[in-house]
Amino acid sequence: MAQNALFAGLVYDENDAAVKTAFVGNEAHYVVDDAGFLRHIPSEGVDRQVLALFVQQIQEHKDVAIAQALRMMGKDDLLTKAALDASLRNVSVDEILRQGIPAQARDMLGMTGFRVVINFHGEVVRIDQPAVAADDDWDS
């Protein structure tokens, strides 16, 4: 049971209408307006779908993610690289759900054009995310 909707403000329905959040008891829900009927979808199910995609993308591009993190940190030593590698191997969706996403990170995602589109069953239909710059673009 999620106590926070991780992607609040970033979730839209199939008609491009922003989806609101609400609580039923202590559980966070995304609220989709289905022709006047407000469908309350537990946020955890939607958030898990989005996080699973993030984790998959991180695993597929782990080397690039580590290289960019090392560059941003200004480090290039073996121990830091090993620590980052271990962290990426041990990413836990449950832990992210428990800790949440900082509001600043969510705001930055929104500013870059990140959006999650769901249907009224709570299935993620599409995720709009900004393109990642090619490695050469970071050197400019």
Side-chain angles (χ1 to χ4, degrees), residues 73-139:
M73 292 170 32
K75 297 193 176 203
D76 194 17
D77 62 276
L78 189 59
L79 291 176
T80 304
K81 183 176 189 271
L84 286 171
D85 185 54
S87 294
L88 290 179
R89 266 188 279 117
N90 298 319
V91 173
S92 166
V93 169
D94 290 330
E95 187 63 22
I96 295 170
L97 284 169
R98 189 182 68 71
Q99 288 184 1
I101 296 175
Q104 300 89 342
R106 191 172 42 244
D107 292 345
M108 288 186 70
L109 282 171
M111 288 188 287
T112 63
F114 178 87
R115 290 170 41 132
V116 177
V117 179
I118 63 172
N119 63 21
F120 56 82
H121 296 293
E123 299 162 339
V124 173
V125 174
R126 135 181 134 250
I127 297 176
D128 299 333
Q129 42 187 341
V132 176
D135 193 38
D136 295 339
D137 293 343
W138 289 94
D139 295 331

Side-chain angles (χ1 to χ4, degrees), residues 13-103:
D13 67 17
E14 292 180 289
N15 298 318
D16 288 326
V19 171
K20 295 181 177 171
T21 57
F23 287 88
V24 176
N26 290 332
E27 185 176 12
H29 286 74
Y30 293 112
V31 182
V32 177
D33 186 345
D34 180 16
F37 182 78
L38 301 180
R39 294 182 182 265
H40 288 65
I41 300 163
S43 65
E44 184 174 343
V46 173
D47 294 344
R48 279 186 182 280
Q49 291 174 69
V50 176
L51 290 173
L53 176 70
F54 281 172
V55 170
Q56 176 187 351
Q57 289 177 339
I58 287 171
Q59 296 305 325
E60 289 173 358
H61 304 285
K62 185 171 58 168
D63 294 337
V64 174
I66 290 172
Q68 292 299 331
L70 289 171
R71 183 179 293 167
M72 287 172 42
M73 292 170 32
K75 297 193 176 203
D76 194 17
D77 62 276
L78 189 59
L79 291 176
T80 304
K81 183 176 189 271
L84 286 171
D85 185 54
S87 294
L88 290 179
R89 266 188 279 117
N90 298 319
V91 173
S92 166
V93 169
D94 290 330
E95 187 63 22
I96 295 170
L97 284 169
R98 189 182 68 71
Q99 288 184 1
I101 296 175

